[in-house]
Amino acid sequence: MSKLFEEDKPIYIQIREKIEDQIINKQLKEGHQAPSTNQLVNFYKINHVTVSKGVNQLVDEGILYKKRGIGMFVAEGARELLIQKRKESFIEDYVLKLIQEANKLDISENEIIGYIKKIKGSDTI
């Protein structure tokens, strides 16, 4: 497998996330054309079906839309939709677990905030 991909996550999800990241980072702007499935297949050297699965999920969610015979485009409002989705996922995947573990260890809210400020202000990130 290419070193561009993690082994513990399906490639189609990673393709999807790469496109999402480009939209969030404004590398792909709303209303502009996104890379075609063929371009992604050639760039990443992976199966067409794999790429299509990730791209089609973005189409199904209204992040991308197809213009027949022209290509794939980033939908208006896609960036905000992705940011909101990622924030919800961040809360579920990280904040909730952080709070649960802090409660087990009897770490106060102020201590948690102090740790976050200390780490965020350091050179470790």
Side-chain angles (χ1 to χ4, degrees):
M1 184 186 326
S2 170
K3 291 183 181 180
L4 295 171
F5 298 105
E6 300 170 23
E7 291 185 22
D8 62 339
K9 188 186 291 186
I11 293 175
Y12 75 92
I13 291 174
Q14 294 180 66
I15 290 292
R16 173 198 166 108
E17 289 174 347
K18 287 176 188 294
I19 295 169
E20 288 177 349
D21 287 346
Q22 290 177 333
I23 294 169
I24 290 171
N25 295 332
K26 298 183 180 178
Q27 294 168 304
L28 286 174
K29 297 185 185 320
E30 295 175 0
H32 290 181
Q33 191 165 11
S36 71
T37 302
N38 288 334
Q39 288 172 318
L40 294 168
V41 165
N42 291 330
F43 183 79
Y44 291 113
K45 307 286 188 240
I46 56 175
N47 186 293
H48 192 275
V49 174
T50 302
V51 171
S52 293
K53 187 171 182 179
V55 169
N56 287 335
Q57 285 183 346
L58 292 171
V59 171
D60 292 344
E61 290 182 15
I63 304 299
L64 298 177
Y65 65 94
K66 297 177 185 179
K67 283 188 180 178
R68 188 178 177 119
I70 300 175
M72 201 81 61
F73 291 81
V74 180
E76 293 298 323
R79 184 173 183 274
E80 192 56 42
L81 189 65
L82 287 171
I83 288 172
Q84 187 58 40
K85 185 183 94 174
R86 291 265 181 109
K87 283 181 179 181
E88 290 169 8
S89 179
F90 176 79
I91 291 167
E92 286 180 30
D93 296 344
Y94 300 101
V95 178
L96 185 61
K97 291 176 183 170
L98 172 98
I99 299 300
Q100 289 170 340
E101 188 66 16
N103 287 340
K104 287 181 202 172
L105 299 174
D106 202 28
I107 299 173
S108 73
E109 183 178 326
N110 287 335
E111 285 178 290
I112 294 170
I113 292 168
Y115 295 146
I116 291 170
K117 286 180 178 180
K118 181 179 177 182
I119 292 170
K120 191 163 175 128
S122 74
D123 293 333
T124 60
I125 53 172

